[in-house]
Amino acid sequence: MKTKIIKIDSDNILPDQLEEAVEILKQGGLVAFPTETVYGLGADGLNKEASRKIYEAKGRPSDNPLILHIAHLGALKELTIDCPEIGYQLAEAFWPGPLTMIFHKSEIVPYSATGGLDTVAIRMPSHPIAYELIRQTRAYIAAPSANISGRPSPTKAEHVIEDMDGRIDMIIDGGSVEIGLESTIIDITGPVPVLLRPGYITVPMIEAVVGKIAVDKAVLSTISDPSIVPKAPGMKYKHYAPKGQLTIYEGNNEAVVQAINKIAGEKQEEGYKVGIIATDETFDAYSYGTVKRIGSRSDEDTIANRLFDILRSFDKEGTEFIYTESFESNQLGQAIMNRLLKAAGYHKVTV
Ligand code: TXA
Ligand code: MG
């Protein structure tokens, strides 16, 4: 399949610019598009055959459900049953934006989109291209991250091209995304809301709106524990992983730098290609391998934004061992550490 790539300026979408993408989606085809979190791989969410194509293009296990993307609140009435009041409160506070909620699904939502579950994940994205695409298609767009299953999520069109060229109908290049980590997921089908995946919308931000919430055990776990099965099916798979072996070093800054320098020096000596993820604060202190700067410790937005791009660039360079510092796990740091731990297969050294 030949993949058509079109460039659109998110701040200036011309009236007919999305026409072809809309047509492809209506015909049951696949279009990758930018959202504020990561690039999504879109298809008509109520069309079973179109969802099947998503799983095929991504190489995604079919029990891993998709998120339906909507552009107006009325969609909740059509796609869900028993939508609780807090659903509307959270929508009011965070939509359009990087929050996904899990609801009881209505009849019109096919099991092919929910991985056989009776619940459905819904998000209203704020990115102008995503919003316009959904609005003009007049459909609910199922969209997982537009990466091959298991690889880091795409934060730039070139990442999507790396993974999806030749596998889908169209890629809309709308430049780099704003956030760089996938949406926060919260399950509101039970008596207490449960955080299933941390993201840009943090626990304190949600609690400020609806009071105390619970956090799925799998989100808090810092070790690989087979007895803990995450409630978001997708979170159980090896994910976000670069091809090289990633190890996280945790402890006081100086000790971490020293330990990473030691192991990086040894691996380089043995002839391996070594990479280090450094912060602005420590960048100059590393003396081996390829050192990449992820941003200042005081600027978690930038760290979140660069993480997947850095992991992918190490892949491109054929890096075999990657070492990274760890980050505070409150606020946005919770999402950053969650993705890092999964990317590292929970390989963590405390010094
Ligand atoms: O930011 C995002 O959410 C991006 C953009 C494109 O919107 N999408 C995204 O989709 O990250 P995906 O498919 O890569 O991740 C969706 C996650 C998976 O872990 C999946 O298991 C979980 O949401 N999920 C979907 N439906 C669910 C449900 N009914 N119950 C529990 N988890 C669900
Ligand atoms: Mg994904």
Side-chain angles (χ1 to χ4, degrees):
M1 176 186 297
K2 174 123 180 73
T3 302
K4 182 157 185 182
I5 300 168
I6 62 167
K7 252 197 164 68
I8 295 185
D9 175 0
S10 337
D11 298 323
N12 183 27
I13 306 171
L14 307 174
D16 57 354
Q17 237 174 346
L18 287 169
E19 235 168 53
E20 196 179 344
V22 166
E23 207 39 50
I24 292 170
L25 289 170
K26 282 185 174 161
Q27 303 292 327
L30 302 183
V31 176
F33 60 95
T35 81
E36 68 278 23
T37 55
V38 299
Y39 272 75
L41 176 56
D44 178 349
L46 301 188
N47 175 334
K48 290 182 198 156
E49 176 56 19
S51 316
R52 194 195 57 71
K53 286 188 197 161
I54 289 185
Y55 287 96
E56 187 180 297
K58 275 182 67 84
R60 179 179 177 118
S62 62
D63 69 340
N64 189 1
L66 305 172
I67 298 173
L68 293 186
H69 293 69
I70 63 172
H72 64 94
L73 259 190
L76 283 187
K77 283 224 158 47
E78 287 180 50
L79 299 173
T80 73
I81 49 172
D82 309 329
C83 177
E85 187 50 36
I86 59 163
Y88 290 103
Q89 289 167 355
L90 289 170
E92 165 79 25
F94 302 115
W95 279 359
L99 179 73
T100 296
M101 289 188 261
I102 311 288
F103 302 88
H104 292 290
K105 79 170 197 69
S106 71
E107 293 238 307
I108 66 164
V109 179
Y111 284 110
S112 53
T114 70
L117 298 174
D118 287 314
T119 54
V120 59
I122 302 180
R123 171 163 114 79
M124 187 191 290
S126 63
H127 194 289
I129 294 177
Y131 175 81
E132 268 305 306
L133 191 62
I134 304 163
R135 197 185 64 81
Q136 292 183 26
T137 310
R138 297 169 171 276
Y140 305 121
I141 304 295
S145 49
N147 51 283
I148 296 279
S149 222
R151 297 210 66 207
S153 293
T155 57
K156 298 174 171 172
E158 63 196 71
H159 299 160
V160 183
I161 296 168
E162 271 166 26
D163 283 15
M164 292 295 158
D165 195 18
R167 305 169 81 95
I168 63 177
D169 299 287
M170 180 182 270
I171 296 170
I172 301 175
D173 178 353
S176 288
V177 302
E178 219 178 289
I179 294 173
L181 296 179
E182 309 85 346
S183 62
T184 304
I185 303 181
I186 187 163
D187 182 344
I188 56 166
T189 58
V192 178
V194 185
L195 181 86
L196 305 188
R197 180 172 75 182
Y200 187 80
I201 306 293
T202 62
V203 172
M205 286 162 80
I206 295 171
E207 290 187 334
V209 178
V210 296
K212 193 90 188 126
I213 65 168
V215 178
D216 187 24
K217 267 196 196 130
V219 170
L220 298 171
S221 163
T222 58
I223 51 162
S224 168
D225 180 346
S227 73
I228 302 176
V229 178
K231 281 204 184 152
M235 299 301 276
K236 75 173 178 272
Y237 298 106
K238 185 175 146 99
H239 208 177
Y240 315 111
K243 292 171 191 148
Q245 190 193 95
L246 173 67
T247 309
I248 305 168
Y249 279 73
E250 166 189 81
N252 84 53
N253 261 353
E254 240 168 83
V256 163
V257 170
Q258 210 174 29
I260 291 182
N261 262 330
K262 181 162 180 290
I263 182 81
E266 286 168 11
K267 287 290 177 197
Q268 187 164 298
E269 185 74 13
E270 290 167 29
Y272 290 108
K273 218 166 166 171
V274 175
I276 295 174
I277 302 179
T279 49
D280 289 356
E281 289 78 7
T282 55
F283 183 77
D284 292 326
Y286 292 109
S287 16
Y288 302 96
T290 305
V291 187
K292 297 193 195 268
R293 198 192 275 268
I294 196 165
S296 165
R297 286 198 165 271
S298 60
D299 177 7
E300 289 185 328
D301 285 5
T302 300
I303 294 173
N305 189 273
R306 290 187 188 160
L307 177 62
F308 290 148
D309 184 44
I310 288 181
L311 293 179
R312 276 180 180 261
S313 64
F314 277 131
D315 272 0
K316 264 199 165 157
E317 294 156 20
T319 311
E320 294 162 286
F321 289 92
I322 309 165
Y323 302 102
T324 180
E325 299 174 15
S326 83
F327 299 93
E328 290 297 326
S329 47
N330 55 6
Q331 309 270 358
L332 185 51
Q334 184 177 41
I336 295 167
M337 280 309 286
N338 172 268
R339 306 310 193 273
L340 256 187
L341 279 161
K342 288 171 71 63
Y346 296 92
H347 249 244
K348 194 178 62 167
V349 177
T350 306
V351 294

